[in-house]
Amino acid sequence: MGRDAAVDHVHDRLLAWYDRHGRDLPWRVRGAARPDPYRVWLSEIMLQQTTVATVGPYFRAFLQRWPTVADMAAAPVEAVLDAWAGLGYYARARNMHRCAQVIRGEFAGIFPDDEVRLRQLPGIGPYTAAAVAAIAFDRRASVVDGNVERVVARLFAVETPLPAAKAHLRDLAAGLLPADSPTDFRYGDFAQAMMDLGATVCLPRAPRCDLCPLAPGCAGRSAGIADTLPHQAAKTPRPTRRGVAFWIERPDGAILLRRRPREAGWCDSAAPPAAARFAWRHAGTALDRLARDRLAARRGPRGSTVAGGLAAVTGDRSPHLYPFSSGTGRLGWIGG
Ligand code: SF4
């Protein structure tokens, strides 16, 4: 099926499917009501590089603590960074706080409602600007995340590998929006429907084409190649990095934390003491010395226990932990 035929049937089918099967998410509003732009923005920033399941509790906790963008802007950045701990990519939290301050200071606490002005705000790139414009304000905007890239690659049977295919996939996704830009089109729902389709039906390894509202016009499915798309260019292997982290606990249960340096990309976030630069083959000796001389003796009060682990972060960034513990000053291996 050609591109025009594929586009023709997409809107009605996809929106009808979304009305019945779209996900209920904490930041989502269904029906005619419009969602709070603050909630849409907050969720989209949190969802960058992070799963929906992980984001849910953070999203609720942030809203409880800072119900409006002005509340967040008034908070110390350290409080926002601490509340963010565990979501990773801490530059997001720092930019988010700066963005809240700009919206409070320059926009009277009201989010701009178009992509162009949204993109000028700290931490808001093309994707987030499009998502906020479409979802919060029903603006005509093409929202393309990884899920949507996959759906579009399959829908049009695009065999060029990623990332080279990105621009072409963005063009194809934009072409799925109604050409005559009707003002009553559900742009926000359409964007969320595409995301949901990718997240729940057009799954990476095994697309569930029998449940898909777009199956009749899907070129990838017709060609029998849907599950192989999108192709990925071969990745350059990443080096393995190794380090050690310490868990130091006082008798009253308090945990020793330090602020990680902003210039190293950690944005002052709190974390247990850790060391990364020593030869792996000397790790055991280094652990003993670090725990005895720098941590347990100097900073841990009498009665503290020291525990921690060696972490080898491999090319795919999955940390592999080798735990150890010590309550007496000399480290004893309990695993690995
Ligand atoms: Fe994805 Fe299958 Fe739907 Fe095509 S028919 S968009 S491959 S789930």
Side-chain angles (χ1 to χ4, degrees):
M1 182 176 288
R3 181 169 174 234
D4 289 344
V7 171
D8 279 346
H9 79 279
V10 162
H11 304 142
D12 292 346
R13 284 175 175 273
L14 191 62
L15 288 170
W17 172 86
Y18 178 70
D19 289 340
R20 292 188 63 191
H21 302 292
R23 294 174 293 177
D24 285 323
L25 300 173
W27 46 86
R28 188 169 277 181
V29 171
R30 306 299 288 269
R34 292 255 51 83
D36 177 357
Y38 171 58
R39 293 178 176 225
V40 175
W41 165 74
L42 180 61
S43 66
E44 289 298 338
I45 299 291
M46 287 183 165
L47 285 165
Q48 293 166 14
Q49 315 282 344
T50 312
T51 64
V52 165
T54 301
V55 164
Y58 282 90
F59 177 80
R60 293 189 191 89
F62 266 67
L63 274 189
Q64 194 167 18
R65 196 159 170 190
W66 300 298
T68 69
V69 69
D71 294 325
M72 182 186 288
V77 67
E78 291 78 13
V80 173
L81 290 168
D82 285 348
W84 189 270
L87 276 178
Y89 297 95
Y90 290 87
R92 284 185 296 167
R94 184 172 288 282
N95 283 331
M96 187 176 73
H97 184 257
R98 277 179 47 224
C99 183
Q101 292 185 321
V102 171
I103 289 171
R104 184 186 61 167
E106 298 180 21
F107 293 89
I110 299 170
F111 274 82
D113 64 358
D114 63 88
E115 274 184 273
V116 173
R117 285 188 297 161
L118 284 163
R119 281 180 68 166
Q120 291 165 2
L121 294 169
I124 297 191
Y127 166 79
T128 306
V132 174
I135 298 170
F137 300 108
D138 241 353
R139 292 289 186 146
R140 189 183 199 281
S142 179
V143 185
V144 184
D145 65 1
N147 282 330
V148 175
E149 270 182 351
R150 181 170 62 254
V151 173
V152 172
R154 290 170 173 173
L155 206 52
F156 297 102
V158 175
E159 297 198 63
T160 307
L162 287 169
K166 273 183 178 292
H168 183 43
L169 293 176
R170 272 199 302 274
D171 289 345
L172 290 172
L176 290 175
L177 295 175
D180 51 353
S181 304
T183 53
D184 59 348
F185 185 73
R186 297 162 58 191
Y187 293 102
D189 286 350
F190 186 77
Q192 293 175 101
M194 287 291 284
M195 294 175 186
D196 281 17
L197 192 76
T200 64
V201 174
C202 196
L203 299 171
R205 290 199 178 80
R208 304 162 76 190
C209 301
D210 50 332
L211 302 177
C212 181
L214 307 187
C218 179
R221 175 176 175 267
S222 297
I225 58 172
D227 59 341
T228 70
L229 299 175
H231 298 313
Q232 300 279 352
K235 288 184 178 164
T236 314
R238 291 183 174 167
T240 295
R241 294 175 296 146
R242 300 179 173 100
V244 57
F246 292 89
W247 183 269
I248 301 177
E249 192 169 328
R250 270 196 330 228
D252 64 0
I255 308 299
L256 178 66
L257 299 178
R258 69 178 176 108
R259 293 237 167 252
R260 293 187 284 189
R262 187 190 306 187
E263 59 273 16
W266 293 112
C267 296
D268 294 336
S269 56
R277 294 192 183 87
F278 55 83
W280 180 243
R281 64 183 181 280
H282 300 314
T285 307
L287 288 173
D288 280 353
R289 192 177 65 240
L290 282 167
R292 187 179 61 243
D293 297 343
R294 289 172 52 185
L295 298 171
R298 277 173 45 189
R299 302 175 76 173
R302 183 180 294 277
S304 295
T305 58
V306 180
L310 294 173
V313 182
T314 54
D316 60 5
R317 291 175 174 249
S318 303
H320 191 81
L321 297 175
Y322 301 86
F324 66 88
S325 74
S326 172
T328 60
R330 176 87 187 156
L331 297 177
W333 291 93
I334 61 172

